[in-house]
Amino acid sequence: MSVPGALLAPVRAGGRVAAAGALMGGWLALLWGIEVVNALSGQRLDTYGITPRQGGELLDVVPAAFLHVGFSHLASNSLPLLVLGFIAALGGIARYLAVALTVVVVSGLGVWLTAPAHSVTLGASGLVFGLFGYLVVRGFVDHRALDVIVGMVVGVLYGSILWGVLPTATGVSWQAHLFGLAGGVVAAFLFRDRSQARAS
């Protein structure tokens, strides 16, 4: 790294932190704002959840990830989404958005294909599981030692959520969790740092 580059590195790092913080703060504010509107409307927005194997419901794959079954449901997703999303967004806003969209679509399609008939699935937990999977494997895919360490820390701190991919709790969509996790792993490969891969 050149001397000017070394001097600018802290500035760039600070910019990434600010951008990641602003993105995830805005994301959480949007989710809470939507849930306020949903509550005031008598949960009418819940109709945008995913009902499996109905053609028109494919349009709800994305909006379902922004809706929740009440404030307690949203609260349970908020902190892990904020933390994992912030860490992922430090790698770049465009990359984060591509990863998030991939996870939401894979998770939603998995729910649409495999969830019980007549059920309605909504919530950001699929994205939470996807970000977890993405962060855990990203360092190995990109061959970055720092990201491997970050992934290991994330695994230690949030690894217990993996129980959520098992069908053990009534009323909880293990399908969203499982396919969200798979979507995060897929996204790590789709949006890997190709310059690092060439240099390794």
Side-chain angles (χ1 to χ4, degrees), residues 21-108:
L23 173 66
M24 294 315 301
W27 197 296
L28 265 294
L30 174 63
L31 294 185
W32 281 89
I34 289 173
E35 193 54 36
V36 167
V37 172
N38 198 20
L40 293 175
S41 69
Q43 302 299 125
R44 290 183 181 178
L45 297 182
D46 288 357
T47 59
Y48 292 98
I50 303 168
T51 301
R53 294 173 296 284
Q54 295 184 14
E57 292 294 309
L58 287 171
L59 297 176
D60 293 335
V61 163
V62 173
F66 292 84
L67 295 166
H68 290 82
V69 187
F71 291 104
S72 61
H73 182 209
L74 174 55
S76 68
N77 282 330
S78 290
L79 182 58
L81 179 60
L82 177 64
V83 173
L84 298 176
F86 174 77
I87 296 170
L90 289 174
I93 300 303
R95 189 181 187 188
Y96 170 82
L97 293 175
V99 167
L101 179 60
T102 300
V103 169
V104 166
V105 170
V106 172
S107 177

Side-chain angles (χ1 to χ4, degrees), residues 134-159:
Y134 170 74
L135 290 171
V136 167
V137 305
R138 177 185 61 177
F140 297 100
V141 174
D142 286 348
H143 305 288
R144 290 180 185 268
L146 178 58
D147 286 342
V148 170
I149 295 171
V150 169
M152 293 173 65
V153 172
V154 167
V156 170
L157 293 178
Y158 286 98

